[in-house]
Amino acid sequence: MRVFVTGASGWIGSAVTDELLAHSHEVVGLARSDEAAAALEAKGATALRGGLDDPDGLAAAAAAADGVVHLAFKHDFTDYAGAGRTEHTAVRHMLDALEGSGRPFLLASGLASIVAGRTVTEDDPSPHHGPDSPRGGSENLALSYADRGVRAVALRFAPSVHGTGDHGFVSTLTAVARERGVAGYLGDGANRWPAVHRSDAARLVRLALDRAPAGSRPHVVAEEGVPTRDIAAAIGDHLGLPTASVPPADAERHFGWIARFYGMDAPASSARTRDLLGWTPTGPTLLADIAAGAYAAPEATATR
């Protein structure tokens, strides 16, 4: 299968590209820079220079592919609403190019703020609709094409897709701990983050591309919910720093932009996903990765 992958050189996308190539798929990867394009070409993928701000180019690439795995997103926390509108436009153009084809369109989505007070399941619809909602309402936009001849699938990723080299949330928390001299958590730290190892996430994406049905919402989740106080304790133990509670009123001052996510309680089940796709996670847990030094390098920080 010729697969167009956006975000193909990113943290998750590079692992997905490797997984697809290893299973005899042809990958055309979107690359925003010469460096990213060279890395993709070195793997045996075809690089396509461009970005999410070129919806017509994305549509053309989608139309030329046998399937699309859309993993890219502009993680601009200074203009998150604008990033959502860009996402909505990009997704709509790719879906329009695939309409009536029966080809797969897999979209990276998230688990935060879907439901409150209980574990999220694959049956829970996203409450976000329209370009001005979180991530541009792209999950519901994509799934609306399931009745328009597209095998649209929403991949709901855990907030922590972890492993050595991760520059995401846990890396940022580790950097904050180094800067503050304490590994913090908010309040009592009982709120939970789902987690999945990067290798398990890539394998699930490949399985979903092969056989996830239109309109499904696979949960890319290995651990249903790791308490944030345990995450902080693991970071503190590895860095030799104390662990302490941070009052919610001081969250933004202490943690910066990540505070809005760190305080969420978002446990999520993947039981139906495992049954549907025959997926069994085998990678290390989040706490094991932290203890093993996956976030040891001071330079592995900050941006996502």
Side-chain angles (χ1 to χ4, degrees), residues 153-166:
V153 176
L155 299 166
R156 289 177 170 174
F157 284 90
S160 174
V161 181
H162 56 88
T164 301
D166 175 19

Side-chain angles (χ1 to χ4, degrees), residues 100-198:
S101 69
R103 284 175 277 171
F105 179 87
L106 276 59
L107 168 94
S109 188
L111 290 161
S113 70
I114 291 177
V115 298
R118 64 169 175 83
T119 300
V120 182
T121 77
E122 295 89 338
D123 289 337
D124 290 312
S126 168
H128 306 307
H129 297 266
D132 294 318
S133 61
R135 294 187 75 98
S138 59
E139 176 176 315
N140 281 315
L141 173 62
L143 295 184
S144 73
Y145 278 71
D147 295 327
R148 297 170 65 177
V150 180
R151 182 158 65 85
V153 176
L155 299 166
R156 289 177 170 174
F157 284 90
S160 174
V161 181
H162 56 88
T164 301
D166 175 19
H167 286 52
F169 288 160
V170 176
S171 180
T172 300
L173 291 173
T174 303
V176 171
R178 284 194 182 94
E179 180 183 350
R180 299 293 184 184
V182 60
Y185 55 88
L186 286 171
D188 63 5
N191 59 299
R192 297 152 291 177
W193 273 15
V196 64
H197 191 266
R198 179 177 178 238

Side-chain angles (χ1 to χ4, degrees), residues 4-7 52 58 68-73 87 90-91 94 105-109 135 138 155 157:
F4 175 47
V5 181
T6 72
L52 296 184
L58 295 174
V68 176
V69 178
H70 175 49
L71 301 173
F73 183 74
E87 170 77 350
V91 168
M94 287 187 282
F105 179 87
L106 276 59
L107 168 94
S109 188
R135 294 187 75 98
S138 59
L155 299 166
F157 284 90

Side-chain angles (χ1 to χ4, degrees), residues 159-160 169 173 191-195 225-226 228 231 258 261-262 264:
S160 174
F169 288 160
L173 291 173
N191 59 299
R192 297 152 291 177
W193 273 15
V226 185
T228 55
I231 297 172
I258 201 172
F261 303 101
Y262 198 33
M264 291 181 176

